[in-house]
Amino acid sequence: MRISAVVGSMVAGVALAVATACAPGVQQSSSTPTGPVTVNFSSFKGKHMTYLYFTDGPDLDATKAAITRFEQATGATVDLQTVPFAQLNTALQARIASHTEPEVARVQDWHPYAGELLDFTDYFGKSYPGEFTAGAVGTAEDAAGHMYAVPSDQTINGPFVNADAFAKAGVPLPDASAKWTWQQFVDDATKVAQANHMPNALTMDVSGNRLSTVLSEYGTNLIGPDGQVGLDQVKTEQALGMFNGLLQSDKISKDFWLGAGTNYKGGNDPFLAQQAPVYLSGPWQVGAFTKSAPFSWRAVPDPCATECGGFPGMKMMVAFSHSKEPTLGAAFVQWMNRTENQRQTDIDSYWLPTRKDLVASGIPYPSHAADMNIFISQINSTPAPDFTAVASPAYTGAANALVKEFDKAVAGQEGVPDCVRNLRDQVTQIIKASK
């Protein structure tokens, strides 16, 4: 295995664990196949491929081990190349233009590379998408059912609580299977904050993705299942009106929210500083909290309004049909996302699974397994349109617009109804521009 950095400084790279298994047949092609392609995992000895990767966590060591096992099992070699996420699209587009595509890349959205990707159902059958949760696979297919990516890991937004503060206040934590309404969520957080002399009841990352959680729980979304603007006027007013009320009453710090401007700002610092007993974020915080939290904490289920669950973030693996070894690339992706391999990846990297069987069984994480499995339990509770929305090429722009426009309502520059109407217009234009 070779590990190199490309397009800027090296970043920590990939975690995908592997084990052994095989599938029948062999065929190599440098173009999109016209029919089914058989894949023989024993035929790759001496072959070489490149995996272009960005990292968003402490997963380099797990990736090295995973790729080594793949190489030992197949006899192939993998050149793992890391690139900063901000430069990933530029790097891939440049390689496509120069006909030097990698065999495989890790991406958040496959649409920018449409026309260059192989269809995994051509290699592993029409039933292959059924191995993954409906929400996850919905981000990887086109309208005709072509699977141009394999969902490899995901996140689900959800709350953390200061368990010590809840205990001191005599407020019980919600049961993992219970529905915690938004009213109960706020009321309990307020009681705990008051009992512990904390200035705020809740904190949340200033993020369009995190704010999308609130929209989802009120039954609406930035982008609808048809790819057009979502944002039901009444439901969005209810969601943003409720959240704005929390800011205006300082149950969530208004100064903190507006102080971020239109930039992302994490709510982890005020949570760790015990300025609020509840923090809405996601499972990527578990490792950091394990090391740095000066109090006992727990993950708890998302609050519900008309819907429950959180809001997803998705990572996926794609394979390029015009690379030097497209079948090896397809095999690598499929191998990395088999049950035993994805399970080990999730254990080593504290990722959430995308496979149906692993979501159903849970993951035996080495620490804070109960907390991580709370997030897993929210995957099937999260409405399917959320996954469609986050997979849209317009989602990032729409999420940024959400924060920018909502800030005007928080600052008193416009009412929530006008905020929603203006946001709908902006999202409509962002969708048009993304096509």
Side-chain angles (χ1 to χ4, degrees):
M1 173 178 59
R2 290 178 53 220
I3 302 175
S4 56
V6 294
V7 196
S9 61
M10 180 166 181
V11 288
V14 74
L16 291 169
V18 293
T20 59
C22 61
V26 61
Q27 178 175 329
Q28 281 293 113
S29 171
S30 61
S31 60
T32 303
T34 57
V37 180
T38 53
V39 181
N40 180 359
F41 280 78
S42 67
S43 71
F44 298 129
K45 185 175 182 179
K47 294 185 180 294
H48 177 82
M49 62 161 281
T50 297
Y51 183 18
L52 190 66
Y53 188 82
F54 72 91
T55 180
D56 52 8
D59 44 33
L60 181 58
D61 288 343
T63 299
K64 291 178 182 178
I67 292 177
T68 295
R69 290 192 293 271
F70 176 80
E71 292 175 330
Q72 291 172 343
T74 62
T77 56
V78 179
D79 181 8
L80 175 65
Q81 299 182 349
T82 59
V83 58
F85 176 71
Q87 299 173 28
L88 176 69
N89 184 55
T90 300
L92 282 172
Q93 296 293 1
R95 291 186 179 205
I96 290 169
S98 63
H99 305 292
T100 57
E101 299 95 331
E103 275 66 31
V104 175
R106 184 187 192 220
V107 300
Q108 281 189 327
D109 179 13
W110 61 265
H111 293 87
Y113 320 108
E116 302 294 332
L117 304 177
L118 58 80
D119 177 358
F120 287 96
T121 64
D122 286 334
Y123 291 78
F124 304 109
K126 298 298 182 183
S127 65
Y128 182 53
E131 296 183 17
F132 302 88
T133 62
V137 81
T139 69
E141 292 181 317
D142 68 4
H146 300 293
M147 189 180 187
Y148 291 119
V150 172
S152 54
D153 60 286
Q154 62 183 314
T155 60
I156 291 289
N157 296 339
F160 294 91
V161 299
N162 182 327
D164 289 346
F166 269 70
K168 181 178 178 180
V171 176
L173 297 179
D175 182 83
S177 61
K179 287 188 176 181
W180 200 15
T181 69
W182 260 99
Q183 188 63 55
Q184 292 170 317
F185 181 60
V186 173
D187 287 348
D188 285 355
T190 301
K191 291 176 185 176
V192 175
Q194 291 172 346
N196 288 271
H197 307 290
M198 296 178 177
N200 309 114
L202 304 107
T203 186
M204 188 175 88
D205 303 327
V206 181
S207 157
N209 180 278
R210 240 64 84 231
L211 197 52
S212 290
T213 306
V214 183
L215 297 181
S216 169
E217 288 160 354
Y218 275 77
T220 190
N221 225 310
L222 286 165
I223 299 169
D226 60 357
Q228 302 304 310
V229 64
L231 295 175
D232 177 276
Q233 182 73 30
V234 172
K235 293 177 180 179
T236 308
E237 285 183 27
Q238 291 172 340
L240 296 185
M242 181 279 296
F243 199 77
N244 188 38
L246 297 178
L247 288 159
Q248 299 304 329
S249 64
D250 229 30
K251 290 184 178 179
I252 299 175
S253 173
K254 182 178 177 181
D255 289 342
F256 173 82
W257 188 274
L258 291 178
T262 58
N263 298 316
Y264 170 87
K265 188 174 183 179
N268 50 314
D269 286 343
F271 180 64
L272 293 175
Q274 303 191 67
Q275 295 174 359
V278 176
Y279 172 34
L280 181 59
S281 188
W284 56 90
Q285 302 286 1
V286 168
F289 287 173
T290 299
K291 295 177 182 178
S292 60
F295 49 80
S296 296
W297 54 269
R298 296 289 183 272
V300 296
D302 285 277
C304 306
T306 59
E307 299 285 351
C308 297
F311 192 82
M314 190 66 60
K315 312 297 190 304
M316 55 194 70
M317 299 173 71
V318 296
F320 289 86
S321 60
H322 294 91
S323 68
K324 292 181 180 179
E325 298 286 351
T327 302
L328 175 56
F332 178 76
V333 174
Q334 190 266 1
W335 179 287
M336 291 296 193
N337 291 287
R338 293 174 180 175
T339 299
E340 64 273 21
N341 303 332
Q342 194 177 100
R343 179 190 292 113
Q344 190 61 51
T345 297
D346 296 338
I347 290 171
D348 293 344
S349 301
Y350 283 85
W351 284 352
L352 302 188
T354 59
R355 294 186 56 89
K356 284 181 181 177
D357 49 3
L358 295 179
V359 169
S361 67
I363 300 292
Y365 297 98
S367 66
H368 286 284
D371 299 299
M372 290 297 298
N373 280 288
I374 284 288
F375 288 106
I376 293 177
S377 75
Q378 300 301 286
I379 291 172
N380 287 333
S381 299
T382 299
D386 292 8
F387 295 88
T388 305
V390 80
S392 167
Y395 177 76
T396 298
N400 291 337
L402 170 60
V403 173
K404 185 176 181 180
E405 195 63 34
F406 180 60
D407 278 0
K408 296 177 184 178
V410 177
Q413 297 170 0
E414 65 183 12
V416 170
D418 286 339
C419 165
V420 177
R421 282 188 286 269
N422 293 337
L423 181 60
R424 282 183 54 85
D425 290 342
Q426 292 173 39
V427 174
T428 298
Q429 295 305 313
I430 290 167
I431 292 171
K432 289 180 180 179
S434 71
K435 293 181 176 180

